Amino acid sequence: MSVNSKRVFYVKYLAHQIYADILGARPDVRLDRLENESAEEIYTPILRDAHAYQIGAARDELAPHFHVDENLLRRAPNLLIVSSNGAGFDPVDVDACTKAGVLVVNQSGGNAHSVAEHALGMLLTLSKRIIEADRALRRDHDVNRNSLMGTEAQGRTIGIVGIGNVGRRIAELCKGLLGMKVLAYDPYLSATEIAARSAEKVELNDLLPANQGEPRHDRRTRILVDAAPRLLHHHGAWLHP
């Protein structure tokens, strides 16, 4: 180990093994792995000496005492940077980090193609009733194939809430591959910017079936929660979070 060593740690898992492989080839970097169940006498010295924390993006997958807040920052006096595995950084108190002089970075867009392809796969799985058909064929001996007939995504309308890195790629795939009409709600982008991302700008209410009342606008998450039953009530509508 080099005298001028950098100390990096993570909890439970990394986004990809290549992260560990690259750092493992560096004689000046030490990478420590902790578990949510790691004992305090194990993680205390690692936090104390750490310069970088590679953190998971999901709050529920991380033990509360490994969330980056004022308490953890006090126990990590040498910490310089917190890096999230994904675009989100829910387990990180950015204000507390800023106050402590700790840089916070994320990996926005890094896996946008993979997530978009997964969403497209879910869309086709839903429209073709693939999982439902699989379960029926495994469970029953005499299956009426007509009862499991799916629908075509071709020419249908898809509504995207938030057309960022992932939403943009979903729009390109749905429009280019399936000829779908793509509508997008994003309060931070103009109609011109959304058009450049292969979609038509609409308001959130325009994505909902008509005459179903107004969604509550007190919080963005509340809007989607209120919108869900109305979308599902509309015949032929699919909802994928």
PDB file of all heavy atoms in Angstrom, residues 159-196:
ATOM      1  N   GLY A 159     -47.346   8.059 -22.745  1.00  0.00           N
ATOM      2  CA  GLY A 159     -47.119   9.300 -22.014  1.00  0.00           C
ATOM      3  C   GLY A 159     -45.946   9.137 -21.073  1.00  0.00           C
ATOM      4  O   GLY A 159     -45.898   8.176 -20.296  1.00  0.00           O
ATOM      5  N   ILE A 160     -44.985  10.027 -21.139  1.00  0.00           N
ATOM      6  CA  ILE A 160     -43.784   9.950 -20.319  1.00  0.00           C
ATOM      7  C   ILE A 160     -43.767  11.137 -19.359  1.00  0.00           C
ATOM      8  O   ILE A 160     -43.880  12.284 -19.783  1.00  0.00           O
ATOM      9  CB  ILE A 160     -42.516   9.972 -21.199  1.00  0.00           C
ATOM     10  CG1 ILE A 160     -42.532   8.786 -22.172  1.00  0.00           C
ATOM     11  CG2 ILE A 160     -41.261   9.949 -20.340  1.00  0.00           C
ATOM     12  CD1 ILE A 160     -41.381   8.802 -23.166  1.00  0.00           C
ATOM     13  N   VAL A 161     -43.642  10.848 -18.078  1.00  0.00           N
ATOM     14  CA  VAL A 161     -43.555  11.901 -17.068  1.00  0.00           C
ATOM     15  C   VAL A 161     -42.084  12.106 -16.727  1.00  0.00           C
ATOM     16  O   VAL A 161     -41.457  11.264 -16.085  1.00  0.00           O
ATOM     17  CB  VAL A 161     -44.356  11.526 -15.808  1.00  0.00           C
ATOM     18  CG1 VAL A 161     -44.223  12.632 -14.752  1.00  0.00           C
ATOM     19  CG2 VAL A 161     -45.819  11.302 -16.155  1.00  0.00           C
ATOM     20  N   GLY A 162     -41.517  13.206 -17.179  1.00  0.00           N
ATOM     21  CA  GLY A 162     -40.098  13.491 -16.983  1.00  0.00           C
ATOM     22  C   GLY A 162     -39.280  12.901 -18.114  1.00  0.00           C
ATOM     23  O   GLY A 162     -39.028  11.697 -18.139  1.00  0.00           O
ATOM     24  N   ILE A 163     -38.890  13.724 -19.076  1.00  0.00           N
ATOM     25  CA  ILE A 163     -38.180  13.204 -20.248  1.00  0.00           C
ATOM     26  C   ILE A 163     -36.703  13.592 -20.176  1.00  0.00           C
ATOM     27  O   ILE A 163     -36.186  14.391 -20.954  1.00  0.00           O
ATOM     28  CB  ILE A 163     -38.871  13.653 -21.561  1.00  0.00           C
ATOM     29  CG1 ILE A 163     -38.262  12.953 -22.774  1.00  0.00           C
ATOM     30  CG2 ILE A 163     -38.878  15.164 -21.711  1.00  0.00           C
ATOM     31  CD1 ILE A 163     -39.131  13.017 -24.015  1.00  0.00           C
ATOM     32  N   GLY A 164     -36.045  12.994 -19.173  1.00  0.00           N
ATOM     33  CA  GLY A 164     -34.612  13.218 -18.995  1.00  0.00           C
ATOM     34  C   GLY A 164     -33.813  12.198 -19.778  1.00  0.00           C
ATOM     35  O   GLY A 164     -34.188  11.824 -20.895  1.00  0.00           O
ATOM     36  N   ASN A 165     -32.738  11.715 -19.209  1.00  0.00           N
ATOM     37  CA  ASN A 165     -31.880  10.770 -19.922  1.00  0.00           C
ATOM     38  C   ASN A 165     -32.602   9.479 -20.288  1.00  0.00           C
ATOM     39  O   ASN A 165     -32.502   9.004 -21.422  1.00  0.00           O
ATOM     40  CB  ASN A 165     -30.652  10.447 -19.063  1.00  0.00           C
ATOM     41  CG  ASN A 165     -29.716  11.625 -18.921  1.00  0.00           C
ATOM     42  OD1 ASN A 165     -29.267  12.198 -19.915  1.00  0.00           O
ATOM     43  ND2 ASN A 165     -29.416  12.005 -17.688  1.00  0.00           N
ATOM     44  N   VAL A 166     -33.343   8.925 -19.321  1.00  0.00           N
ATOM     45  CA  VAL A 166     -34.068   7.682 -19.589  1.00  0.00           C
ATOM     46  C   VAL A 166     -35.293   7.944 -20.451  1.00  0.00           C
ATOM     47  O   VAL A 166     -35.528   7.256 -21.452  1.00  0.00           O
ATOM     48  CB  VAL A 166     -34.479   6.999 -18.273  1.00  0.00           C
ATOM     49  CG1 VAL A 166     -35.350   5.782 -18.552  1.00  0.00           C
ATOM     50  CG2 VAL A 166     -33.243   6.585 -17.485  1.00  0.00           C
ATOM     51  N   GLY A 167     -36.095   8.943 -20.077  1.00  0.00           N
ATOM     52  CA  GLY A 167     -37.304   9.249 -20.819  1.00  0.00           C
ATOM     53  C   GLY A 167     -37.029   9.557 -22.281  1.00  0.00           C
ATOM     54  O   GLY A 167     -37.789   9.179 -23.174  1.00  0.00           O
ATOM     55  N   ARG A 168     -35.935  10.245 -22.523  1.00  0.00           N
ATOM     56  CA  ARG A 168     -35.556  10.583 -23.890  1.00  0.00           C
ATOM     57  C   ARG A 168     -35.303   9.335 -24.726  1.00  0.00           C
ATOM     58  O   ARG A 168     -35.741   9.228 -25.882  1.00  0.00           O
ATOM     59  CB  ARG A 168     -34.307  11.455 -23.853  1.00  0.00           C
ATOM     60  CG  ARG A 168     -33.760  11.847 -25.200  1.00  0.00           C
ATOM     61  CD  ARG A 168     -32.512  12.702 -25.035  1.00  0.00           C
ATOM     62  NE  ARG A 168     -32.201  13.465 -26.206  1.00  0.00           N
ATOM     63  CZ  ARG A 168     -31.443  14.555 -26.220  1.00  0.00           C
ATOM     64  NH1 ARG A 168     -30.946  15.009 -25.085  1.00  0.00           N
ATOM     65  NH2 ARG A 168     -31.196  15.190 -27.337  1.00  0.00           N
ATOM     66  N   ARG A 169     -34.582   8.376 -24.128  1.00  0.00           N
ATOM     67  CA  ARG A 169     -34.283   7.154 -24.867  1.00  0.00           C
ATOM     68  C   ARG A 169     -35.542   6.320 -25.072  1.00  0.00           C
ATOM     69  O   ARG A 169     -35.719   5.695 -26.139  1.00  0.00           O
ATOM     70  CB  ARG A 169     -33.231   6.349 -24.091  1.00  0.00           C
ATOM     71  CG  ARG A 169     -32.771   5.091 -24.801  1.00  0.00           C
ATOM     72  CD  ARG A 169     -32.177   5.389 -26.152  1.00  0.00           C
ATOM     73  NE  ARG A 169     -31.725   4.176 -26.831  1.00  0.00           N
ATOM     74  CZ  ARG A 169     -31.724   4.001 -28.142  1.00  0.00           C
ATOM     75  NH1 ARG A 169     -32.141   4.968 -28.942  1.00  0.00           N
ATOM     76  NH2 ARG A 169     -31.302   2.870 -28.673  1.00  0.00           N
ATOM     77  N   ILE A 170     -36.435   6.290 -24.080  1.00  0.00           N
ATOM     78  CA  ILE A 170     -37.704   5.572 -24.242  1.00  0.00           C
ATOM     79  C   ILE A 170     -38.498   6.182 -25.389  1.00  0.00           C
ATOM     80  O   ILE A 170     -39.076   5.470 -26.219  1.00  0.00           O
ATOM     81  CB  ILE A 170     -38.519   5.617 -22.941  1.00  0.00           C
ATOM     82  CG1 ILE A 170     -37.828   4.784 -21.857  1.00  0.00           C
ATOM     83  CG2 ILE A 170     -39.935   5.095 -23.162  1.00  0.00           C
ATOM     84  CD1 ILE A 170     -38.471   4.907 -20.493  1.00  0.00           C
ATOM     85  N   ALA A 171     -38.530   7.507 -25.452  1.00  0.00           N
ATOM     86  CA  ALA A 171     -39.249   8.193 -26.527  1.00  0.00           C
ATOM     87  C   ALA A 171     -38.693   7.813 -27.888  1.00  0.00           C
ATOM     88  O   ALA A 171     -39.441   7.536 -28.841  1.00  0.00           O
ATOM     89  CB  ALA A 171     -39.180   9.702 -26.320  1.00  0.00           C
ATOM     90  N   GLU A 172     -37.368   7.786 -28.008  1.00  0.00           N
ATOM     91  CA  GLU A 172     -36.727   7.434 -29.279  1.00  0.00           C
ATOM     92  C   GLU A 172     -37.071   6.001 -29.691  1.00  0.00           C
ATOM     93  O   GLU A 172     -37.375   5.738 -30.868  1.00  0.00           O
ATOM     94  CB  GLU A 172     -35.212   7.592 -29.156  1.00  0.00           C
ATOM     95  CG  GLU A 172     -34.755   9.028 -28.984  1.00  0.00           C
ATOM     96  CD  GLU A 172     -33.279   9.130 -28.609  1.00  0.00           C
ATOM     97  OE1 GLU A 172     -32.666   8.093 -28.273  1.00  0.00           O
ATOM     98  OE2 GLU A 172     -32.755  10.254 -28.650  1.00  0.00           O
ATOM     99  N   LEU A 173     -37.043   5.086 -28.729  1.00  0.00           N
ATOM    100  CA  LEU A 173     -37.339   3.688 -29.034  1.00  0.00           C
ATOM    101  C   LEU A 173     -38.800   3.499 -29.423  1.00  0.00           C
ATOM    102  O   LEU A 173     -39.108   2.809 -30.398  1.00  0.00           O
ATOM    103  CB  LEU A 173     -36.994   2.812 -27.824  1.00  0.00           C
ATOM    104  CG  LEU A 173     -35.509   2.657 -27.495  1.00  0.00           C
ATOM    105  CD1 LEU A 173     -35.335   1.932 -26.167  1.00  0.00           C
ATOM    106  CD2 LEU A 173     -34.778   1.908 -28.601  1.00  0.00           C
ATOM    107  N   CYS A 174     -39.690   4.093 -28.648  1.00  0.00           N
ATOM    108  CA  CYS A 174     -41.125   3.907 -28.913  1.00  0.00           C
ATOM    109  C   CYS A 174     -41.546   4.544 -30.226  1.00  0.00           C
ATOM    110  O   CYS A 174     -42.353   3.980 -30.977  1.00  0.00           O
ATOM    111  CB  CYS A 174     -41.944   4.482 -27.754  1.00  0.00           C
ATOM    112  SG  CYS A 174     -41.834   3.506 -26.245  1.00  0.00           S
ATOM    113  N   LYS A 175     -40.997   5.700 -30.522  1.00  0.00           N
ATOM    114  CA  LYS A 175     -41.347   6.381 -31.766  1.00  0.00           C
ATOM    115  C   LYS A 175     -40.669   5.736 -32.965  1.00  0.00           C
ATOM    116  O   LYS A 175     -41.300   5.487 -34.003  1.00  0.00           O
ATOM    117  CB  LYS A 175     -40.959   7.854 -31.675  1.00  0.00           C
ATOM    118  CG  LYS A 175     -41.424   8.688 -32.865  1.00  0.00           C
ATOM    119  CD  LYS A 175     -41.124  10.163 -32.626  1.00  0.00           C
ATOM    120  CE  LYS A 175     -41.654  11.016 -33.773  1.00  0.00           C
ATOM    121  NZ  LYS A 175     -41.404  12.459 -33.530  1.00  0.00           N
ATOM    122  N   GLY A 176     -39.378   5.443 -32.829  1.00  0.00           N
ATOM    123  CA  GLY A 176     -38.631   4.910 -33.956  1.00  0.00           C
ATOM    124  C   GLY A 176     -38.922   3.463 -34.268  1.00  0.00           C
ATOM    125  O   GLY A 176     -39.064   3.082 -35.433  1.00  0.00           O
ATOM    126  N   LEU A 177     -39.024   2.613 -33.232  1.00  0.00           N
ATOM    127  CA  LEU A 177     -39.237   1.180 -33.444  1.00  0.00           C
ATOM    128  C   LEU A 177     -40.704   0.803 -33.598  1.00  0.00           C
ATOM    129  O   LEU A 177     -41.039  -0.086 -34.388  1.00  0.00           O
ATOM    130  CB  LEU A 177     -38.640   0.389 -32.277  1.00  0.00           C
ATOM    131  CG  LEU A 177     -37.117   0.388 -32.138  1.00  0.00           C
ATOM    132  CD1 LEU A 177     -36.707  -0.389 -30.895  1.00  0.00           C
ATOM    133  CD2 LEU A 177     -36.458  -0.210 -33.375  1.00  0.00           C
ATOM    134  N   LEU A 178     -41.553   1.457 -32.819  1.00  0.00           N
ATOM    135  CA  LEU A 178     -42.952   1.028 -32.751  1.00  0.00           C
ATOM    136  C   LEU A 178     -43.938   2.014 -33.357  1.00  0.00           C
ATOM    137  O   LEU A 178     -45.132   1.750 -33.381  1.00  0.00           O
ATOM    138  CB  LEU A 178     -43.336   0.763 -31.284  1.00  0.00           C
ATOM    139  CG  LEU A 178     -42.509  -0.329 -30.589  1.00  0.00           C
ATOM    140  CD1 LEU A 178     -42.870  -0.400 -29.117  1.00  0.00           C
ATOM    141  CD2 LEU A 178     -42.719  -1.675 -31.264  1.00  0.00           C
ATOM    142  N   GLY A 179     -43.443   3.152 -33.823  1.00  0.00           N
ATOM    143  CA  GLY A 179     -44.339   4.125 -34.434  1.00  0.00           C
ATOM    144  C   GLY A 179     -45.387   4.654 -33.474  1.00  0.00           C
ATOM    145  O   GLY A 179     -46.507   4.979 -33.876  1.00  0.00           O
ATOM    146  N   MET A 180     -45.050   4.750 -32.188  1.00  0.00           N
ATOM    147  CA  MET A 180     -46.001   5.223 -31.195  1.00  0.00           C
ATOM    148  C   MET A 180     -46.035   6.747 -31.175  1.00  0.00           C
ATOM    149  O   MET A 180     -45.049   7.413 -31.515  1.00  0.00           O
ATOM    150  CB  MET A 180     -45.634   4.697 -29.804  1.00  0.00           C
ATOM    151  CG  MET A 180     -45.633   3.186 -29.694  1.00  0.00           C
ATOM    152  SD  MET A 180     -45.233   2.588 -28.021  1.00  0.00           S
ATOM    153  CE  MET A 180     -46.790   2.915 -27.182  1.00  0.00           C
ATOM    154  N   LYS A 181     -47.150   7.290 -30.771  1.00  0.00           N
ATOM    155  CA  LYS A 181     -47.253   8.729 -30.519  1.00  0.00           C
ATOM    156  C   LYS A 181     -46.730   8.974 -29.107  1.00  0.00           C
ATOM    157  O   LYS A 181     -47.199   8.360 -28.154  1.00  0.00           O
ATOM    158  CB  LYS A 181     -48.693   9.198 -30.638  1.00  0.00           C
ATOM    159  CG  LYS A 181     -48.869  10.695 -30.378  1.00  0.00           C
ATOM    160  CD  LYS A 181     -50.331  11.117 -30.516  1.00  0.00           C
ATOM    161  CE  LYS A 181     -50.488  12.611 -30.256  1.00  0.00           C
ATOM    162  NZ  LYS A 181     -51.912  13.047 -30.378  1.00  0.00           N
ATOM    163  N   VAL A 182     -45.768   9.856 -28.975  1.00  0.00           N
ATOM    164  CA  VAL A 182     -45.121  10.070 -27.688  1.00  0.00           C
ATOM    165  C   VAL A 182     -45.481  11.444 -27.125  1.00  0.00           C
ATOM    166  O   VAL A 182     -45.199  12.472 -27.745  1.00  0.00           O
ATOM    167  CB  VAL A 182     -43.584   9.951 -27.808  1.00  0.00           C
ATOM    168  CG1 VAL A 182     -42.937  10.089 -26.429  1.00  0.00           C
ATOM    169  CG2 VAL A 182     -43.188   8.623 -28.448  1.00  0.00           C
ATOM    170  N   LEU A 183     -46.124  11.438 -25.967  1.00  0.00           N
ATOM    171  CA  LEU A 183     -46.438  12.662 -25.238  1.00  0.00           C
ATOM    172  C   LEU A 183     -45.541  12.716 -24.005  1.00  0.00           C
ATOM    173  O   LEU A 183     -45.240  11.682 -23.407  1.00  0.00           O
ATOM    174  CB  LEU A 183     -47.908  12.679 -24.814  1.00  0.00           C
ATOM    175  CG  LEU A 183     -48.951  12.454 -25.906  1.00  0.00           C
ATOM    176  CD1 LEU A 183     -50.351  12.447 -25.302  1.00  0.00           C
ATOM    177  CD2 LEU A 183     -48.844  13.510 -26.996  1.00  0.00           C
ATOM    178  N   ALA A 184     -45.142  13.905 -23.627  1.00  0.00           N
ATOM    179  CA  ALA A 184     -44.262  14.018 -22.465  1.00  0.00           C
ATOM    180  C   ALA A 184     -44.623  15.235 -21.623  1.00  0.00           C
ATOM    181  O   ALA A 184     -44.859  16.322 -22.158  1.00  0.00           O
ATOM    182  CB  ALA A 184     -42.805  14.108 -22.905  1.00  0.00           C
ATOM    183  N   TYR A 185     -44.658  15.015 -20.321  1.00  0.00           N
ATOM    184  CA  TYR A 185     -44.821  16.115 -19.371  1.00  0.00           C
ATOM    185  C   TYR A 185     -43.504  16.331 -18.666  1.00  0.00           C
ATOM    186  O   TYR A 185     -42.940  15.407 -18.063  1.00  0.00           O
ATOM    187  CB  TYR A 185     -45.906  15.777 -18.338  1.00  0.00           C
ATOM    188  CG  TYR A 185     -45.896  16.707 -17.138  1.00  0.00           C
ATOM    189  CD1 TYR A 185     -46.328  18.026 -17.261  1.00  0.00           C
ATOM    190  CD2 TYR A 185     -45.423  16.264 -15.902  1.00  0.00           C
ATOM    191  CE1 TYR A 185     -46.296  18.882 -16.169  1.00  0.00           C
ATOM    192  CE2 TYR A 185     -45.398  17.113 -14.806  1.00  0.00           C
ATOM    193  CZ  TYR A 185     -45.831  18.421 -14.945  1.00  0.00           C
ATOM    194  OH  TYR A 185     -45.791  19.270 -13.859  1.00  0.00           O
ATOM    195  N   ASP A 186     -42.976  17.534 -18.774  1.00  0.00           N
ATOM    196  CA  ASP A 186     -41.761  17.902 -18.067  1.00  0.00           C
ATOM    197  C   ASP A 186     -41.776  19.408 -17.874  1.00  0.00           C
ATOM    198  O   ASP A 186     -41.618  20.166 -18.837  1.00  0.00           O
ATOM    199  CB  ASP A 186     -40.514  17.485 -18.849  1.00  0.00           C
ATOM    200  CG  ASP A 186     -39.259  17.500 -17.980  1.00  0.00           C
ATOM    201  OD1 ASP A 186     -39.078  18.490 -17.237  1.00  0.00           O
ATOM    202  OD2 ASP A 186     -38.470  16.545 -18.049  1.00  0.00           O
ATOM    203  N   PRO A 187     -41.997  19.871 -16.644  1.00  0.00           N
ATOM    204  CA  PRO A 187     -42.134  21.315 -16.406  1.00  0.00           C
ATOM    205  C   PRO A 187     -40.838  22.096 -16.607  1.00  0.00           C
ATOM    206  O   PRO A 187     -40.864  23.329 -16.639  1.00  0.00           O
ATOM    207  CB  PRO A 187     -42.597  21.378 -14.946  1.00  0.00           C
ATOM    208  CG  PRO A 187     -42.065  20.131 -14.323  1.00  0.00           C
ATOM    209  CD  PRO A 187     -42.134  19.088 -15.398  1.00  0.00           C
ATOM    210  N   TYR A 188     -39.722  21.400 -16.760  1.00  0.00           N
ATOM    211  CA  TYR A 188     -38.434  22.087 -16.857  1.00  0.00           C
ATOM    212  C   TYR A 188     -37.951  22.258 -18.299  1.00  0.00           C
ATOM    213  O   TYR A 188     -36.907  22.862 -18.521  1.00  0.00           O
ATOM    214  CB  TYR A 188     -37.379  21.325 -16.052  1.00  0.00           C
ATOM    215  CG  TYR A 188     -37.759  21.159 -14.603  1.00  0.00           C
ATOM    216  CD1 TYR A 188     -38.164  19.920 -14.113  1.00  0.00           C
ATOM    217  CD2 TYR A 188     -37.749  22.237 -13.725  1.00  0.00           C
ATOM    218  CE1 TYR A 188     -38.535  19.761 -12.780  1.00  0.00           C
ATOM    219  CE2 TYR A 188     -38.113  22.088 -12.394  1.00  0.00           C
ATOM    220  CZ  TYR A 188     -38.503  20.852 -11.935  1.00  0.00           C
ATOM    221  OH  TYR A 188     -38.875  20.694 -10.621  1.00  0.00           O
ATOM    222  N   LEU A 189     -38.693  21.709 -19.253  1.00  0.00           N
ATOM    223  CA  LEU A 189     -38.278  21.776 -20.647  1.00  0.00           C
ATOM    224  C   LEU A 189     -39.338  22.446 -21.502  1.00  0.00           C
ATOM    225  O   LEU A 189     -40.545  22.284 -21.257  1.00  0.00           O
ATOM    226  CB  LEU A 189     -37.994  20.371 -21.194  1.00  0.00           C
ATOM    227  CG  LEU A 189     -36.862  19.581 -20.526  1.00  0.00           C
ATOM    228  CD1 LEU A 189     -36.782  18.181 -21.118  1.00  0.00           C
ATOM    229  CD2 LEU A 189     -35.529  20.302 -20.680  1.00  0.00           C
ATOM    230  N   SER A 190     -38.904  23.187 -22.512  1.00  0.00           N
ATOM    231  CA  SER A 190     -39.823  23.850 -23.429  1.00  0.00           C
ATOM    232  C   SER A 190     -40.347  22.856 -24.457  1.00  0.00           C
ATOM    233  O   SER A 190     -39.824  21.743 -24.605  1.00  0.00           O
ATOM    234  CB  SER A 190     -39.103  24.989 -24.155  1.00  0.00           C
ATOM    235  OG  SER A 190     -38.115  24.470 -25.033  1.00  0.00           O
ATOM    236  N   ALA A 191     -41.359  23.283 -25.201  1.00  0.00           N
ATOM    237  CA  ALA A 191     -41.925  22.431 -26.253  1.00  0.00           C
ATOM    238  C   ALA A 191     -40.863  22.103 -27.300  1.00  0.00           C
ATOM    239  O   ALA A 191     -40.801  20.983 -27.819  1.00  0.00           O
ATOM    240  CB  ALA A 191     -43.122  23.120 -26.892  1.00  0.00           C
ATOM    241  N   THR A 192     -40.024  23.081 -27.601  1.00  0.00           N
ATOM    242  CA  THR A 192     -38.955  22.860 -28.586  1.00  0.00           C
ATOM    243  C   THR A 192     -37.950  21.832 -28.098  1.00  0.00           C
ATOM    244  O   THR A 192     -37.522  20.945 -28.856  1.00  0.00           O
ATOM    245  CB  THR A 192     -38.236  24.182 -28.892  1.00  0.00           C
ATOM    246  OG1 THR A 192     -39.182  25.133 -29.387  1.00  0.00           O
ATOM    247  CG2 THR A 192     -37.130  23.977 -29.923  1.00  0.00           C
ATOM    248  N   GLU A 193     -37.564  21.935 -26.830  1.00  0.00           N
ATOM    249  CA  GLU A 193     -36.600  20.986 -26.270  1.00  0.00           C
ATOM    250  C   GLU A 193     -37.184  19.576 -26.218  1.00  0.00           C
ATOM    251  O   GLU A 193     -36.489  18.592 -26.502  1.00  0.00           O
ATOM    252  CB  GLU A 193     -36.189  21.431 -24.865  1.00  0.00           C
ATOM    253  CG  GLU A 193     -35.337  22.698 -24.855  1.00  0.00           C
ATOM    254  CD  GLU A 193     -35.129  23.245 -23.464  1.00  0.00           C
ATOM    255  OE1 GLU A 193     -36.108  23.301 -22.683  1.00  0.00           O
ATOM    256  OE2 GLU A 193     -33.982  23.625 -23.150  1.00  0.00           O
ATOM    257  N   ILE A 194     -38.467  19.472 -25.872  1.00  0.00           N
ATOM    258  CA  ILE A 194     -39.099  18.156 -25.813  1.00  0.00           C
ATOM    259  C   ILE A 194     -39.256  17.579 -27.213  1.00  0.00           C
ATOM    260  O   ILE A 194     -39.083  16.371 -27.421  1.00  0.00           O
ATOM    261  CB  ILE A 194     -40.444  18.255 -25.074  1.00  0.00           C
ATOM    262  CG1 ILE A 194     -40.183  18.483 -23.581  1.00  0.00           C
ATOM    263  CG2 ILE A 194     -41.286  16.996 -25.279  1.00  0.00           C
ATOM    264  CD1 ILE A 194     -41.423  18.615 -22.728  1.00  0.00           C
ATOM    265  N   ALA A 195     -39.565  18.425 -28.195  1.00  0.00           N
ATOM    266  CA  ALA A 195     -39.672  17.957 -29.576  1.00  0.00           C
ATOM    267  C   ALA A 195     -38.346  17.384 -30.057  1.00  0.00           C
ATOM    268  O   ALA A 195     -38.304  16.397 -30.806  1.00  0.00           O
ATOM    269  CB  ALA A 195     -40.122  19.097 -30.484  1.00  0.00           C
ATOM    270  N   ALA A 196     -37.246  18.001 -29.622  1.00  0.00           N
ATOM    271  CA  ALA A 196     -35.918  17.501 -29.992  1.00  0.00           C
ATOM    272  C   ALA A 196     -35.642  16.145 -29.349  1.00  0.00           C
ATOM    273  O   ALA A 196     -34.724  15.432 -29.780  1.00  0.00           O
ATOM    274  CB  ALA A 196     -34.842  18.508 -29.574  1.00  0.00           C
TER     275      ALA A 196
END
